Amino acid sequence: MAWVGEALWLLGTTPFLGCPQHPGVLKLECPSLLHPRGCEQGLSQLLGEDGHKAWHELRETVLERDLWKMSNPRNGDTKPPCLPRNGLVKIPTQPNGLGSASITKGTPAMKNRLCQPSSVPAILSPALAHRSDLPIPSLASPLSLTALASVSSPPGPSLVGLNTSEGSEQPSPERLPGSPSERQLAVDEKILNRLFWYFSACEKCVLAQVCKAWRRVLYQPKFWVGLTPVLHTKELYNILPSGEKEFVSLQGFAIRGFDGFCLVGVSDLDICEFIDNYPLSKKGVKSMSLKRSTITDAGLEVMLEQMQGVVRLELSGCNDFTEAGLWSSLNARITALSVSDCINVADDAIAAISQLLPNLTELNLQAYHVTDTALAYFTAKQGYTTHTLRLNSCWEITNHGVVNMVHSLPNLSVLSLSGCSKVTDDGVELVAENLRKLRSLDLSWCPRITDMALEYIACDLHKLEELVLDRCVRITDTGLSYLSTMSSLRSLYLRWCCQVQDFGLKHLLSMGSLRLLSLAGCPLLTTTGLSGLVQLQELEELELTNCPGATPELFKYFSQHLPCCMVIE
Ligand SMILES: *[C@@H]1O[C@H](CO)[C@@H](O)[C@H](O)[C@H]1NC(C)=O
Ligand SMILES: *[C@@H]1O[C@H](CO)[C@@H](O)[C@H](O)[C@H]1NC(C)=O
Ligand SMILES: *[C@@H]1O[C@H](CO)[C@@H](O)[C@H](O)[C@H]1NC(C)=O
């Protein structure tokens, strides 16, 4: 799940995404949508009036951000000003930097600036944007083109929408339009290259259908890094008029450089077809995820033999391979393995994994039949390399298994015991005493855990940045008081911790490091208690779904007093 999870939403239900013929699916090509008459018409047709408007506003905002960056060259580390949230537009998290008033989108000042012949809608060349030693004009004084032209390092056109003359010569005045036309801006690759970063993957799928110029820019691999296309069996084939099946072209994926795939419901044969048809399959694909696949031992062996680049493997809901198959196919180059909901996986699977995968850094396991014994199988090599272990719903694991684990994998920095419901406070004590490097700990759905466990955690795990306590129903306000001393904690999940009250919440208000807090489903928190959270001015995300105390008035209050925090209703 782990590395695929991030991309699973590509499967999403939004009708906004993908080809009309195949709503909801990240599609390779939708040539019919590429608008013959150019980007602007294509944009209107595809996004409608609102989308078009949002696009224009975004563009102006980006222009302003660039101006801001230019006038604050020494603030390399501080984030640029907030972008307003706005329909289509996805925003990075919000600092405040400059007074926001001067940076709001589409202010009259901005519009004037765009129209003044002496100023430019400047998108800096990357080289310039990173120079911090240059005297850069401030926002207040209009930017002179000469100033910009003289500092831009690469020869050739450095300004969007404007053709400068060759080399380092000054641009000739007669070729400088006062306001570059919409049309030029809409196809200028430099501006597009910057703008497209502001869109989500779904949105980029849509924007790539606007016109050829946009697709060309958007199909660069940099815009798709970290995403995993999810393909279902039926989408892998086109039915020809003759009734025969033909494997789809995966060229569009190859251009975008996708190096990870999730195939759903595929058979051994489908996997072979995929290997034959995806140009990057032999060397370029690094992660493969199979869900609800009928892959057999033989199929697994062929796949890992043929796809020489695969270092991350996920098998989920696959019931046709066996532990013997793991013994015969697992390859030592694999560094991350996830196995969940596969019926034939028990202790011997762990034996195979620990023997065959010396370079394992991450293991995610959801297996009802894995026992305490298996957690002692890991070798010295893994004790060194394995940093991430997620044992989800391993119901048979007890504190004895935890003992084995902390001794065989002392270098863990990420541990999940989510749903390992037999683990108690004593198990957590072992974890806290022995795994001091932990940065993330997930104890959700461990109903036996009490406030004591939180005391151990707070005492010993000084590096902890993320703590998940969802559904730890015995935790009370006392437990939260222990947590308040944890100065590295950035993310705290307390979903459905049904005993937490306003008083406990107060303990969290001094935690200046907190960026993400989830209180979803906490039934006892009142509107008054929650409103105190405005003290956490650094908060970036606050989840309040299913909180009876989270009233519309409260959300309004947060939008005024926590303007840079995304509050999830
Ligand atoms: C810039 O110059 C190129 C060739 O020199 C030309 O094809 C293009 O139309 C010009 N663009 C603008 C906006 O004038
Ligand atoms: C395991 O990792 C080591 C060190 O990074 C590397 O030299 C070795 O080639 C890896 N083994 C395999 C089979 O990939
Ligand atoms: C843990 O990893 C570090 C390097 O990250 C290494 O120096 C240390 O020996 C490892 N510990 C164990 C017990 O393998």
Side-chain angles (χ1 to χ4, degrees), residues 465-479:
E465 291 168 11
E466 179 178 79
L467 181 59
V468 186
L469 298 169
D470 299 347
R471 294 270 179 190
C472 290
V473 290
R474 296 199 190 181
I475 285 176
T476 71
D477 293 349
T478 314

Side-chain angles (χ1 to χ4, degrees), residues 331-334 358-359 381:
N331 185 299
R333 68 172 182 271
I334 289 177
N359 282 359
K381 192 74 180 16

Side-chain angles (χ1 to χ4, degrees), residues 380-387 407-412 437:
K381 192 74 180 16
Q382 286 136 0
Y384 185 89
T385 58
T386 305
H387 299 299
H407 290 127
S408 61
L409 299 175
N411 254 348
L412 290 179
K437 294 183 180 172

Side-chain angles (χ1 to χ4, degrees), residues 255-307:
I255 295 170
R256 282 174 282 180
F258 283 114
D259 64 359
F261 280 85
C262 174
L263 303 182
V264 183
V266 293
S267 66
D268 285 355
L269 201 67
D270 299 326
I271 293 169
C272 290
E273 290 279 349
F274 174 81
I275 294 172
D276 288 344
N277 284 282
Y278 187 58
L280 308 178
S281 67
K282 294 274 164 52
K283 292 261 189 297
V285 174
K286 297 202 173 62
S287 57
M288 274 305 279
S289 167
L290 302 176
K291 289 188 195 289
R292 298 193 300 281
S293 161
T294 56
I295 191 168
T296 65
D297 291 350
L300 200 56
E301 206 173 331
V302 169
M303 183 178 90
L304 289 173
E305 227 171 68
Q306 299 254 322
M307 302 180 77

